[in-house]
Amino acid sequence: MWFDWADNPKWGKKDQELFFAKLKKARDKCCYLKIKAGCLYDVGNEKKVNEAISLLNLAINDYPDQSELAFVYNLLSRCYEFLELNKKAIEFYEKSLLQEKKVPNMLTTTIFDYPEFIVENKIKRLYLRAIELLDQAEKEERIHFPLENFLFFGLKAAIYNRTGHKKSARIEAKNASYFAKLRHSGLSRHPNIGVVEGYEWLKKELKQIVK
């Protein structure tokens, strides 16, 4: 690909020199910084995640692009989540949502990622915020694939169960379990897109709810 210089996790001294030389000549600097940061984040170790944060902050401070910022804030949130800096993760998830309102044709997965973060980390004071966002996703017709349906029902089930609404929790958990088992997206050309992979922590909780 023509942007291979950004779309890889290599970050040694020579790799950095090449990246910044290419970046200097590039037009969409914010986008390329986001791509490189995403590759570093995907490596999944603390050093690379901190390097990703540095690149994302560079994108925000030196090369802000209104069409990219919601994605940048989302990735920054996930970096802070990885580092267990929950206060910072919350800050940037909220910024991502605010940026989506400013540029509504550039939507991220924050409307699902943020509630997932809240529920997985058991941040009780934000449970209502998680429900609000999931309901917003439904209202805005942003729920299409099995994974999105699984998160919509499953995260609600976990919140209802933890807050004493057992009957509602069971209903939502059964719905979530149905979508977790689907192995086809409904798209003939892309049958595997948006199916549920992983989420063992949530599946385990749902199993306990429907017992």
Side-chain angles (χ1 to χ4, degrees), residues 30 55-64 69 72-73 76 92:
C30 187
L55 293 180
L56 294 169
N57 282 325
L58 180 63
I60 294 166
N61 295 325
D62 290 13
Y63 309 108
L69 282 178
V72 170
Y73 292 145
L76 198 48
F92 284 98

Side-chain angles (χ1 to χ4, degrees), residues 37-91:
C39 291
L40 296 175
Y41 165 80
D42 286 340
V43 172
N45 66 53
E46 185 174 339
K47 183 175 184 292
K48 287 290 197 297
V49 170
N50 276 304
E51 289 167 340
I53 289 172
S54 295
L55 293 180
L56 294 169
N57 282 325
L58 180 63
I60 294 166
N61 295 325
D62 290 13
Y63 309 108
D65 181 335
Q66 295 301 307
S67 66
E68 291 285 352
L69 282 178
F71 299 94
V72 170
Y73 292 145
N74 174 280
L75 181 52
L76 198 48
S77 298
R78 288 185 282 126
C79 287
Y80 285 126
E81 184 177 350
F82 179 88
L83 297 174
E84 298 183 358
L85 298 173
N86 288 356
K87 187 174 180 180
K88 296 292 286 184
I90 290 167
E91 175 188 346

Side-chain angles (χ1 to χ4, degrees), residues 90-202:
I90 290 167
E91 175 188 346
F92 284 98
Y93 274 132
E94 291 289 351
K95 284 187 175 183
S96 181
L97 292 168
L98 183 60
Q99 187 64 24
E100 285 189 7
K101 290 182 180 179
K102 293 178 181 178
V103 189
N105 62 323
M106 301 299 289
L107 299 176
T108 71
T109 56
T110 299
I111 205 165
F112 298 104
D113 296 340
Y114 190 16
E116 179 190 339
F117 162 76
I118 290 168
V119 174
E120 185 172 12
N121 288 280
K122 300 180 179 179
I123 306 175
K124 296 179 182 179
R125 64 184 176 85
L126 291 177
Y127 280 170
L128 287 178
R129 178 63 168 145
I131 295 289
E132 174 191 334
L133 290 171
L134 293 168
D135 286 342
Q136 180 185 334
E138 182 182 38
K139 183 179 179 181
E140 295 178 356
E141 299 182 345
R142 293 173 63 177
I143 302 173
H144 306 287
F145 298 112
L147 174 58
E148 294 160 346
N149 279 283
F150 169 75
L151 292 174
F152 176 77
F153 291 113
L155 295 174
K156 279 189 170 187
I159 292 172
Y160 291 151
N161 186 58
R162 296 173 191 178
T163 54
H165 299 85
K166 303 296 183 181
K167 185 176 180 181
S168 295
R170 283 180 61 84
I171 293 170
E172 304 290 15
K174 287 179 179 179
N175 288 330
S177 297
Y178 167 78
F179 285 105
K181 295 173 184 175
L182 293 183
R183 295 291 92 194
H184 197 291
S185 67
L187 300 176
S188 59
R189 294 187 178 182
H190 304 283
N192 298 319
I193 191 172
V195 297
V196 180
E197 301 289 351
Y199 296 94
E200 298 307 320
W201 67 272
L202 183 54

